[in-house]
Amino acid sequence: MARPLLKIQRYFRRKPVRFFSFILLYLTAGSLVFLHSGFVGDSSTGGNGGRDPLVASGILNRVASSDGRGVGMMGRVLKDTRRPTPRRYGPPWMKGAGGKNWEGRGVDYTSSWNRALKGRNAKDLDDGRAKYIGCYIDDTAKRALRGVSFFDYKKMTVFRCQDNCAERGYLYSGLEFGAECYCGHKIQAPNASESECIMQCKGDKGNLCGGANRLSIYRLELSQESARHYGSAIFKGCFHRPDNVTLALPISAVIQNMSVEKCVDMCTEKELSLAVLAGDRCLCGFPTPHFSLHEMEDEDMCLHRCHGEEFESCGNDEYFVVYQTQVQDNRCMDRRFLPTRSKQLIALASFPGAGNTWARHLIELATGFYTGSYYFDGSLYNKGFKGERDHWRSGRTICIKTHESGKKEIEAFDASIVMIRNPYKALMAEFNRKYGGHIGFASQAHWRGKEWPEFVKNYAPWWASHTRDWLRYGRNVHVVHFEELKRDLFSKLKDMVLFLDLEVAEDRLLCVEGQKDGKFKRSGLRKLDYDPYTPEMRTSIDELVMTVDASLKKRNMAGVPKEYRPTPR
């Protein structure tokens, strides 16, 4: 070993330049390894994998173009992205020294929902999530459930199948052969004996997942947010024939062997958002004042079997079956900053979890102007909320999101739209957001651990004090209840636009109704299998509800909706 080292030493003595070159290469390689490890470490932290929102959205890739301006633009982008750490909101009494808000411990973004329910007999579970219907024959040539399907021969469970079908708006989920999941709106096969559905689920030996050519079928109790689908199209309902069909639905064609699929395909090809079935005729168009879809009829009025589809209704000459295609209605998609800086600041204030982001989405579509924020959320910026990067006092946005409360913060605004939501729903929504992201879910470990009781203890009083503060210190307050906005979106959103001192474009509002969910909607099925609120929690929250009710009435407003009020025990 000594002899080769001696040769290397003699070699570098004769060639000192090569020796220094070798040392330089060695140090360069070490530096590159160090930098690489630093980038890898950074990418594992933060909301978007630790990346700057602009980098994550591909802006740096676009600005580094070959026109010679790449370097300059890159510098400006890097300069702009060096924002200070965004302020975090929380209950006022949880702010520590220096005004910094209290932050919870590390977030677990994984869900143990299926694992937590493992071992429970799904057939016995009827808690508002799903109800077991029975065992049915399934023919591979003519399926009992004819929607989407997926297989997992290692981890299939009853609840996973239900969740996937519910997320797509189907009414039924069925499991077969222990590992196959099928979804559909109708059961199109006869019953079979329960003794034929005895195969254990691959991912949960405690439950049964059908058998060979046999389906264990559940009816899904979807929440109001979920929609019925036919393939990619959304079922809107049964509606009476408009007075002027040609004006309301300008594209029309007679289709032999009419089916929902044929009409949806035709309207999609025409790039129109409504597919309307009227017997053997297919009509296409957009929602307009002539055909607004506001007066839904009983579905029995549209019961007329499609000639080309045995189990679907195709309507008739007087009552139309309407589906919404995947074509985007662009009449309300254009958005921009205000052409001139606004002289007044209007807050969009709410307790976290009360639907503020959803309200921003609606307002931007209805008005065509960006909304701003008191904070900065890179994930929202990447989702299209471009006003997120503007300073909240810039005057370039139509209103400003805030969760702040307190006299000083509220008096900084000239007017405010105050969003209020049922505290029981708002607390759960914010808990899901805190531990699962904007459209994710908190895990069972968080719900059953110490995080949930501590969260309710600190945040429930804030739900009440937040609203009371805005009612007390706000100069010009317009109250919107989340539940009422969902029930009557058109008129409530119209009132909000008028409060913002803008003209109402009815076609634009109708367009918003078709795009109302945006990108921040959780699936309609995933619910807890138990009530997370203890009797003590409910007693405390019920008292808080009544204080908010009294504050609303003191300001000559309607009290809280009936569903907020305590139920007699």
Side-chain angles (χ1 to χ4, degrees):
M1 183 68 183
R3 185 171 295 177
L5 291 175
L6 185 60
K7 289 182 178 180
I8 293 173
Q9 185 182 10
R10 289 174 180 174
Y11 174 80
F12 281 121
R13 280 179 181 176
R14 292 194 301 267
K15 307 287 184 180
V17 174
R18 293 182 181 179
F19 174 73
F20 287 114
S21 299
F22 176 78
I23 295 297
L24 181 62
L25 287 173
Y26 178 81
L27 293 174
T28 303
S31 300
L32 289 174
V33 171
F34 177 77
L35 288 173
H36 174 72
S37 65
F39 284 124
V40 171
D42 290 345
S43 66
S44 65
T45 60
N48 286 321
R51 298 173 292 179
D52 185 278
L54 293 178
V55 178
S57 62
I59 289 182
L60 293 187
N61 293 330
R62 293 197 294 273
V63 300
S65 58
S66 59
D67 61 359
R69 296 176 297 168
V71 176
M73 293 182 69
M74 183 77 75
R76 288 196 296 272
V77 170
L78 290 174
K79 181 178 179 180
D80 290 343
T81 59
R82 297 191 189 104
R83 296 176 61 96
T85 302
R87 284 171 289 186
R88 298 293 181 185
Y89 48 83
W93 51 87
M94 295 178 68
K95 294 181 179 180
K100 293 183 179 180
N101 287 333
W102 172 86
E103 284 290 324
R105 294 186 178 180
V107 179
D108 176 13
Y109 291 96
T110 60
S111 174
S112 59
W113 186 65
N114 286 332
R115 294 194 298 274
L117 296 176
K118 188 173 180 179
R120 294 197 60 180
N121 191 333
K123 292 183 180 181
D124 299 331
L125 184 61
D126 180 13
D127 60 352
R129 178 185 294 128
K131 182 178 181 181
Y132 179 71
I133 301 298
C135 183
Y136 286 79
I137 296 172
D138 191 38
D139 187 347
T140 54
K142 201 172 185 180
R143 292 291 183 186
L145 297 175
R146 300 178 186 176
V148 299
S149 62
F150 74 99
F151 311 142
D152 190 334
Y153 290 96
K154 291 184 178 180
K155 299 180 180 179
M156 180 61 73
T157 67
V158 171
F159 302 106
R160 183 181 177 195
C161 179
Q162 291 174 356
D163 201 31
N164 276 274
C165 293
E167 190 172 349
R168 291 160 176 80
Y170 288 100
L171 296 178
Y172 296 96
S173 67
L175 297 106
E176 180 175 334
F177 210 66
E180 301 174 4
C181 176
Y182 297 88
C183 310
H185 293 305
K186 292 185 179 180
I187 303 173
Q188 304 181 30
N191 285 87
S193 171
E194 289 296 321
S195 62
E196 298 178 47
C197 288
I198 56 172
M199 294 190 71
Q200 293 181 331
C201 302
K202 297 295 184 182
D204 183 359
K205 302 300 183 183
N207 277 313
L208 301 178
C209 288
N213 294 327
R214 296 295 183 268
L215 278 172
S216 297
I217 295 183
Y218 295 82
R219 178 179 176 85
L220 307 175
E221 302 298 329
L222 302 179
S223 68
Q224 293 181 354
E225 292 88 346
S226 297
R228 286 164 52 185
H229 287 65
Y230 184 93
S232 62
I234 301 173
F235 177 74
K236 302 298 288 184
C238 176
F239 298 89
H240 192 271
R241 171 194 177 101
D243 294 333
N244 190 328
V245 177
T246 304
L247 186 61
L249 302 164
I251 305 298
S252 175
V254 175
I255 299 179
Q256 291 185 344
N257 295 322
M258 169 66 84
S259 69
V260 175
E261 183 178 6
K262 289 180 179 178
C263 187
V264 169
D265 286 346
M266 177 185 127
C267 296
T268 300
E269 186 177 340
K270 300 291 184 182
E271 296 189 356
L272 294 168
S273 65
L274 294 185
V276 181
L277 296 92
D280 60 353
R281 281 199 308 152
C282 175
L283 305 101
C284 311
F286 289 110
T288 66
H290 304 288
F291 194 52
S292 64
L293 306 185
H294 286 165
E295 298 179 4
M296 189 183 300
E297 303 286 348
D298 192 297
E299 285 188 40
D300 291 342
M301 305 301 293
C302 286
L303 287 180
H304 179 76
R305 186 176 64 82
C306 298
H307 293 298
E309 201 159 24
E310 184 178 356
F311 292 96
E312 294 295 336
S313 298
C314 278
N316 50 60
D317 290 339
E318 287 298 318
Y319 293 93
F320 296 172
V321 175
V322 180
Y323 286 85
Q324 181 178 319
T325 71
Q326 288 294 295
V327 175
Q328 182 171 274
D329 187 347
N330 290 319
R331 295 176 298 170
C332 59
M333 300 307 294
D334 60 300
R335 285 167 289 174
R336 63 191 187 280
F337 289 102
L338 293 173
T340 57
R341 295 185 182 274
S342 176
K343 294 181 180 179
Q344 64 172 353
L345 295 174
I346 302 178
L348 179 61
S350 74
F351 173 80
N356 198 304
T357 300
W358 180 55
R360 289 179 68 185
H361 166 75
L362 297 176
I363 290 171
E364 289 195 1
L365 296 189
T367 65
F369 296 116
Y370 288 123
T371 59
S373 177
Y374 195 76
Y375 319 97
F376 172 73
D377 188 327
S379 66
L380 293 182
Y381 178 86
N382 292 335
K383 292 290 186 180
F385 291 97
K386 301 304 180 185
E388 194 77 14
R389 286 185 61 83
D390 261 38
H391 190 276
W392 65 279
R393 286 185 178 273
S394 70
R396 298 204 307 158
T397 54
I398 193 64
C399 60
I400 298 100
K401 164 190 173 178
T402 180
H403 297 306
E404 299 298 312
S405 55
K407 186 174 186 293
K408 180 180 177 181
E409 289 80 2
I410 293 171
E411 289 182 345
F413 294 94
D414 302 293
S416 58
I417 297 174
V418 177
M419 292 281 297
I420 307 175
R421 187 180 185 182
N422 185 324
Y424 292 101
K425 299 293 180 65
L427 289 168
M428 293 178 72
E430 174 59 9
F431 191 72
N432 275 321
R433 186 209 63 80
K434 187 176 181 66
Y435 290 101
H438 280 289
I439 57 175
F441 294 87
S443 69
Q444 280 285 328
H446 288 119
W447 287 106
R448 294 187 181 277
K450 64 180 182 180
E451 291 90 347
W452 172 243
E454 186 176 342
F455 178 87
V456 173
K457 177 183 176 181
N458 290 303
Y459 277 68
W462 184 28
W463 174 86
S465 65
H466 182 278
T467 301
R468 293 202 307 269
D469 281 356
W470 280 93
L471 292 173
R472 180 180 180 184
Y473 301 119
R475 287 194 282 270
N476 183 12
V477 179
H478 178 73
V479 171
V480 177
H481 291 283
F482 176 87
E483 293 77 13
E484 293 177 354
L485 182 61
K486 283 178 60 180
R487 280 195 295 265
D488 189 9
L489 187 141
F490 186 89
S491 64
K492 296 299 180 184
L493 186 55
K494 181 179 179 180
D495 292 342
M496 292 166 73
V497 174
L498 291 172
F499 181 80
L500 294 170
D501 199 24
L502 296 173
E503 292 185 6
V504 175
E506 194 166 340
D507 278 355
R508 196 170 183 108
L509 288 180
L510 291 170
C511 170
V512 176
E513 288 188 307
Q515 322 280 338
K516 63 182 180 181
D517 290 330
K519 301 176 182 178
F520 293 92
K521 172 190 168 186
R522 294 183 174 91
S523 68
L525 179 68
R526 185 170 298 188
K527 301 175 183 177
L528 295 174
D529 62 321
Y530 68 99
D531 182 2
Y533 292 100
T534 64
E536 293 76 14
M537 290 179 184
R538 287 191 171 274
T539 299
S540 175
I541 294 171
D542 287 347
E543 292 175 356
L544 294 171
V545 168
M546 298 315 296
T547 64
V548 171
D549 184 71
S551 296
L552 287 167
K553 291 177 178 177
K554 185 177 180 180
R555 192 142 177 172
N556 297 320
M557 298 177 179
V560 297
K562 290 182 179 180
E563 56 259 46
Y564 294 21
R565 297 175 184 275
T567 54
R569 294 185 178 85

